[in-house]
Structure formats: C-alpha cells, structure tokens
Amino acid sequence: MAAQTLTADGPRLGQQEMKKMSPSFHPTLWGDFFLSYEAPTEAQEAEMRERAGVLREKVRSMIKGSHDVPEIVDLIITLQRLNLDYHYEDEINEKLTVVYNSNYDGEAVKELVREYTKEIKWRDEDYVPKTLKEHLKVSLISIGGTLVLCSAFVGMGDVVTKKIMEWVMSDAELVKSFGIFVRLSNDIVSTKREQREKHCVSTVQCYMKQHELTMDEACEQIKELTEDSWKFMIEQGLALKEYPIIVPRTVLEFARTVDYMYKEADKYTVSHTIKDMLTSLYVKPVLM
C-alpha cells in the first residue's frame, strides 16, 4: 500500500493514488482552433458574405421547390430552429398556405362535410338508422377523428411521411377504432342534452331501437363497446411495426384525451368544466 502523508486535515493521498483518481477527458473537438484563431481579412469576409448570399438563394430555391407537406413542414421547422426563417418570410407564408390547404386535411374536411350533410338529412326526416353499424358508417367520420389525426401528423416534419398520411386516410383499423371510441364516448354523455332540441339521432337512440333497450341500458352496453374499442386500439398500436412509434402513440394519446373529455360529461361542448384542470396544468402547475 502506498504511503500517505498526514496533514492538519487528515491523510493526504500519495502521487500514485492521485494518478489513479485523475479523470481521463477526451481531447477537445476544437483542437487548438481558438488558440491560433485570427480574424478574417476584409477580402475573406467579403468572400464569406458572397458565399452566404449564394447559399441563401439556394435555400430559397429549396423552399420554392418543395411540394410534399411533410417536406415543407420539416424545412420550415429547420429554418426556424436555425433562426434563419426571417430571410424567407414570404416564401414560408406561401408554403404554409399549401399546408393548410393540403389534400390530407382538405380531403378529410370534404369527407366530414359530406357526412354532416347526411346527418342533417337524418334530422330533417326524423330518420333512425336500423343498426349501430349503419349509424357508424356516417357518424364514425362526422366525429372528426381522421381530421384531428391529419392535422396532428401534418406538423411532425419528416417523421411523418406521405405513406403515413395515406395510411391515416385509408380507413386503417387503428384509425377506425379511434373514431369509434370517440363517437361512442361522446354520445354516451351528450345524447340527453342533444335530444332536448331537434337533433339527429345518436348511436344511443339507434342502439336502443335495435335492441329494444332503455336509454340507461343502452348507455351501459355502449360503454362496454368503448372499452372493447380501446383494447382493440392497444392491440393495433402494438402490432403497427412498419411506422415510427410516434404514429400509434399519437393516436392513443388523443384517445386518452377523449377519455378525459367525455368521462363524466361533455367537457368538449361545456368547456368551462375543464377550467380548473387547465389552470392546474398551465397557470398554477403543481411542482413535483
């Protein structure tokens, strides 16, 4: 054992122990750049400014030449992160218009409007679909689940590709289960309020007619259907291996939000009921 030297504060480690305890830092990535750095000459600075101008125009051409929504969004986000977006305000605004009017959201909106029109016809004709399945052919779309997911995915940059957006719009099983979960969760808590006025029938009235049940009985059985759709979403999310994990996770996170919004009341419509929750999250957060 190496000898130790006594001091007023106690034993002092010998040189061998000190050597063992010395940290081993990797060499700096910068080398001796800052030790030998010299400011550029006027000629060099002029050359760099000219080069920057060329690159700036090259990026401008990249923005103008981008057409796919994920590509556009990714490019805009990158420029913002690099604090270069102020050079391209006009180009970015033009491309954002393309994003807002993109086929993904645009087609989802068109589909939503078509189904809204069918629901209005149901209301005006006092029509009650014969089965829950018939009702969901319309109300699964009119609840807006696909539109919500499209809007969320459009802003995720290159993580979400054109293939993923097409998957969302293709009536995928996970997206369909999400729509069923949202629709049934909404109808359970909103149907009594909606039926006080002239309103198209909900899935609850349809289920009551199909199975000859009271409203309370129908709601209880529909709750079981929402639980089944939740389980199916989990299964589909875990089985979805061909896309990044952020894709199924986004769907499931939205489903969790829906579960909260419609747990005991229609908090989406009667929005003041979530005031305390929002306050606890954003105004007076509880620090852990």
Side-chain angles (χ1 to χ4, degrees), residues 125-136:
E125 297 178 357
D126 293 322
Y127 177 72
V128 180
K130 296 179 177 61
T131 64
L132 180 62
K133 184 177 181 180
E134 181 188 355
H135 194 291
L136 287 175

Side-chain angles (χ1 to χ4, degrees), residues 2-5 12-22:
Q4 294 182 342
T5 304
R12 185 174 63 192
L13 295 176
Q15 291 184 351
Q16 189 173 358
E17 284 79 3
M18 290 289 288
K19 186 175 181 180
K20 289 180 180 178
M21 295 179 64
S22 297

Side-chain angles (χ1 to χ4, degrees), residues 105-203:
D105 276 357
E107 186 56 39
V109 170
K110 292 175 186 176
E111 192 175 34
L112 189 67
V113 171
R114 283 195 293 267
E115 303 313 312
Y116 277 161
T117 303
K118 292 178 183 177
E119 288 189 341
I120 291 173
K121 186 177 180 181
W122 286 358
R123 181 201 64 190
D124 293 344
E125 297 178 357
D126 293 322
Y127 177 72
V128 180
K130 296 179 177 61
T131 64
L132 180 62
K133 184 177 181 180
E134 181 188 355
H135 194 291
L136 287 175
K137 284 183 179 179
V138 173
S139 60
L140 183 61
I141 299 169
S142 67
I143 195 63
T146 301
L147 179 60
V148 168
L149 294 178
C150 282
S151 299
F153 286 137
V154 158
M156 290 188 180
D158 59 359
V159 174
V160 178
T161 62
K162 182 179 180 180
K163 183 180 178 182
I164 293 175
M165 296 302 295
E166 290 173 346
W167 169 81
V168 175
M169 296 295 297
S170 68
D171 203 25
E173 289 298 323
L174 178 57
V175 178
K176 186 188 297 184
S177 297
F178 172 69
I180 292 173
F181 181 80
V182 178
R183 167 51 66 192
L184 298 182
S185 298
N186 172 275
D187 284 0
I188 289 172
V189 295
S190 66
T191 188
K192 289 183 179 179
R193 173 182 53 78
E194 290 175 347
Q195 297 310 312
R196 293 178 192 145
E197 302 175 357
K198 190 170 179 60
H199 198 282
C200 71
V201 295
S202 71
T203 53

